[in-house]
Amino acid sequence: MLTGELRSRIDGVWNAFWAGGIANPLEVIEQITYLLFMRGLDDAHTLEERKANRLGKPMERRIFPTGKDKIGKNGGVAYEEMRWSKLKNKDPATMFEIVSEHVFPFLRNMAEAGTAHATHMKGARFTIPTPALLAKVVDLLAEIPMEDRDTKGDLYEYMLSKIATAGQNGQFRTPRHIIALMVEMMAPGPKDIIVDPACGTCGFLVAAGEYLRENHPKLFHEKASRDHFNEEMFHGFDFDGTMLRIGSMNMTLHGVEDPDIRYKDSLAQEHASDADRYSLVLANPPFAGSLDYETTAKDLRAIVKTKKTELLFMALFLKLLKPGGRAAVIVPDGVLFGSSTAHKAIRKMLVEDHKLDGIVKLPSGVFRPYAGVSTAIVLFTKTNSGGTDHVWFYDCQADGFSLDDKRNALLPTEKIGPRAKLGDDERERNNLPDITARWQQRSAAERKRPRTAPSFCVPKVEIAAAGYDLSINRYKEVIHEAAEHRSPKEIIMELKALEQDIAKELDELESML
């Protein structure tokens, strides 16, 4: 956890960016990301130096070449002077000149050397406006113990949380506790291959990695499983260069050495190389309405004929998953009950051709203040041969935060999220632990729950008979308590008695005048 002092210092740097004319929170994070990347390169180079000295051999991987970069006067600046450990001790003016004129060209050209994440640095731009601000940010980052993966991750998560409080960019960030819920329900394993085809800042992939560290620590004991975790397990697509840079760095700071975070327009590009490849999809893709039908990937149109992005993403998830692969994805409620041919076709496909496991209806305020649209988590398994028996439904009423635009926490931090230990009086304010507990029992005790409970199961035959409507209100039963009404005669008698009392008091008041 970040200390209050460190949070305060980050807030101070953030405010300095705003005062310096950089008001876009994504740009602020991007600039800090470049500096973290510079420090990470220096740390990696230092490790290689120590290894070479210990073994008495030349360095196998030299990140900073010998010599100068040949940019500007005097033959340029020595690459050694571009290292974080050297830069942080220079005066602000010199530091500013070296970073802007020499370090950034070096970062942009690193891709040829195949350095991790260098591809995403090709478009790197240095926009910190003053030497004083650069020095302030460098001083902050220099004091953070970057060898501690948790501290690095918490630092970045805290910065990313500021996207969600900055207005127009909130759509890039799914609430962390909702991500944690979905990961907890899917329970990733050491052999999974996980993809988020609209990865943004890689929140789902980071959460999956943290889940594996906590629940499968032995996977790091053997080289094969460790290499799988660092190089083969995590995949993310996005078509925003800024998001790719931020997401890639987020993964690195959370201890994933070489994730596959790449440019891809998931709905427009064909998926031949990615089809049937992944065992787990975790996603909350943007639902922007409709796309031009002709620009949509043909392999998706073959699954469902539509221009609706929410339905195309559902087709995409089915395309990417290998048989037996699972998915937990957020969709707008319209996917569950829309009446168009395409809406019905995708729902029928999930129920009849694959295995629809569950639906969690989320409170409508989960994505406020940026969107008030009602959403749900759809959980399914790709089988290509059916398998749906019962579908488990949960009607989530509370996620630990107020459901208005302020989204204030209703419980202490340790009481938020799917793993929280709650008292009886706290469960009504946070349903997430109850969701995970009941999800584990969906094939056992949950089958016997009445339709009046927060969760229950519905047989496939009933869903098919309802035209594959998946809205929870279609199947939920509400108990209407019989109200006891007094008889009209009793009410009239009481009114007459009141009138007599009023008349008596008026008479007494008149006699006193």
Side-chain angles (χ1 to χ4, degrees), residues 211-436:
Y211 178 91
L212 284 158
R213 288 183 186 277
E214 293 175 20
N215 294 275
H216 300 277
K218 291 184 179 179
L219 73 84
F220 298 99
H221 295 177
E222 297 181 5
K223 185 179 186 303
S225 58
R226 190 167 59 246
D227 288 349
H228 177 72
F229 179 89
N230 284 311
E231 300 170 10
E232 302 293 334
M233 181 177 285
F234 302 102
H235 305 260
F237 313 149
D238 210 294
F239 55 80
D240 184 305
T242 300
M243 286 293 102
L244 288 169
R245 280 189 284 275
I246 291 175
S248 180
M249 180 55 67
N250 196 15
M251 294 293 287
T252 301
L253 293 178
H254 280 86
V256 182
E257 294 177 4
D258 192 16
D260 172 29
I261 310 300
R262 56 187 149 103
Y263 180 92
K264 188 179 181 72
D265 187 341
S266 291
L267 297 185
Q269 295 176 236
E270 299 289 316
H271 304 87
S273 62
D274 289 303
D276 301 322
R277 180 180 177 187
Y278 306 99
S279 64
L280 178 58
V281 170
L282 294 164
N284 176 22
F287 302 111
S290 300
L291 296 179
D292 183 347
Y293 188 72
E294 295 305 318
T295 62
T296 305
K298 292 180 180 178
D299 54 358
L300 299 185
R301 281 187 275 159
I303 298 174
V304 59
K305 291 182 171 61
T306 183
K307 296 188 291 184
K308 290 285 187 182
T309 56
E310 57 264 39
L311 302 182
L312 289 168
F313 269 112
M314 293 300 288
L316 172 63
F317 302 146
L318 290 169
K319 185 77 175 177
L320 297 176
L321 284 172
K322 62 173 66 175
R326 303 110 60 219
V329 298
I330 295 175
V331 301
D333 268 4
V335 171
L336 306 181
F337 56 77
S339 59
S340 75
T341 301
H343 279 88
K344 292 179 179 178
I346 203 76
R347 293 197 301 267
K348 182 178 181 181
M349 197 178 302
L350 287 174
V351 174
E352 297 290 353
D353 300 339
H354 305 284
K355 186 175 185 292
L356 179 60
D357 299 302
I359 306 285
V360 177
K361 186 184 186 312
L362 295 174
S364 60
V366 163
F367 294 101
R368 287 187 181 275
Y370 316 105
V373 63
S374 294
T375 56
I377 303 171
V378 178
L379 307 113
F380 63 91
T381 303
K382 177 177 176 177
T383 65
N384 292 329
S385 59
T388 304
D389 181 12
H390 286 72
V391 177
W392 178 80
F393 288 85
Y394 193 106
D395 189 6
C396 180
Q397 297 289 324
D399 69 336
F401 294 85
S402 64
L403 297 175
D404 54 17
D405 284 354
K406 293 182 179 180
R407 292 289 279 156
N408 294 321
L410 302 177
L411 295 164
T413 302
E414 66 273 12
K415 302 282 188 178
I416 301 291
R419 291 192 180 184
K421 306 296 184 184
L422 304 176
D424 292 340
D425 61 332
E426 296 169 325
R427 293 191 179 98
E428 290 185 359
R429 285 172 279 172
N430 177 13
N431 297 162
L432 273 53
D434 189 48
I435 293 173
T436 56

Side-chain angles (χ1 to χ4, degrees), residues 125-146:
R125 295 181 306 112
F126 181 66
T127 61
I128 293 178
T130 64
L133 178 55
L134 175 62
K136 188 172 184 177
V137 180
V138 168
D139 286 345
L140 166 72
L141 298 181
E143 293 181 2
I144 297 172
M146 288 299 188

Side-chain angles (χ1 to χ4, degrees), residues 96-117:
F96 188 84
E97 179 184 357
I98 293 176
V99 171
S100 60
E101 302 296 329
H102 301 276
V103 173
F104 268 69
F106 172 62
L107 292 179
R108 285 193 290 267
N109 295 323
M110 285 178 62
E112 297 178 4
T115 308
H117 309 291

Side-chain angles (χ1 to χ4, degrees), residues 41-191:
L41 290 176
D42 187 35
D43 290 344
H45 191 97
T46 300
L47 285 175
E48 287 292 327
E49 285 178 329
R50 291 173 180 170
K51 180 181 176 182
N53 291 335
R54 189 170 62 249
L55 299 176
K57 297 179 179 180
M59 291 175 62
E60 294 180 4
R61 178 191 175 208
R62 176 176 286 276
I63 296 173
F64 293 91
T66 56
K68 297 183 178 182
D69 63 356
K70 300 180 181 179
I71 296 176
K73 57 186 178 181
N74 300 324
V77 169
Y79 288 105
E80 184 71 15
E81 296 300 310
M82 300 182 201
R83 296 178 61 173
W84 174 270
S85 53
K86 298 289 182 68
L87 280 171
K88 69 178 183 179
N89 297 317
K90 297 186 183 295
D91 65 89
T94 303
M95 183 195 304
F96 188 84
E97 179 184 357
I98 293 176
V99 171
S100 60
E101 302 296 329
H102 301 276
V103 173
F104 268 69
F106 172 62
L107 292 179
R108 285 193 290 267
N109 295 323
M110 285 178 62
E112 297 178 4
T115 308
H117 309 291
T119 301
H120 303 313
M121 295 297 168
K122 282 184 176 180
R125 295 181 306 112
F126 181 66
T127 61
I128 293 178
T130 64
L133 178 55
L134 175 62
K136 188 172 184 177
V137 180
V138 168
D139 286 345
L140 166 72
L141 298 181
E143 293 181 2
I144 297 172
M146 288 299 188
E147 65 277 4
D148 185 338
R149 181 185 55 79
D150 290 335
T151 301
K152 289 191 293 188
D154 286 345
L155 164 70
Y156 215 68
E157 285 294 333
Y158 182 61
M159 291 195 298
L160 291 178
S161 72
K162 290 182 171 291
I163 294 178
T165 59
Q168 75 269 25
N169 297 306
Q171 68 268 24
F172 289 116
R173 183 172 168 82
T174 307
R176 198 173 177 184
H177 59 294
I178 299 299
I179 291 176
L181 170 67
M182 295 166 67
V183 171
E184 192 80 18
M185 296 175 79
M186 288 293 96
K191 294 184 179 180

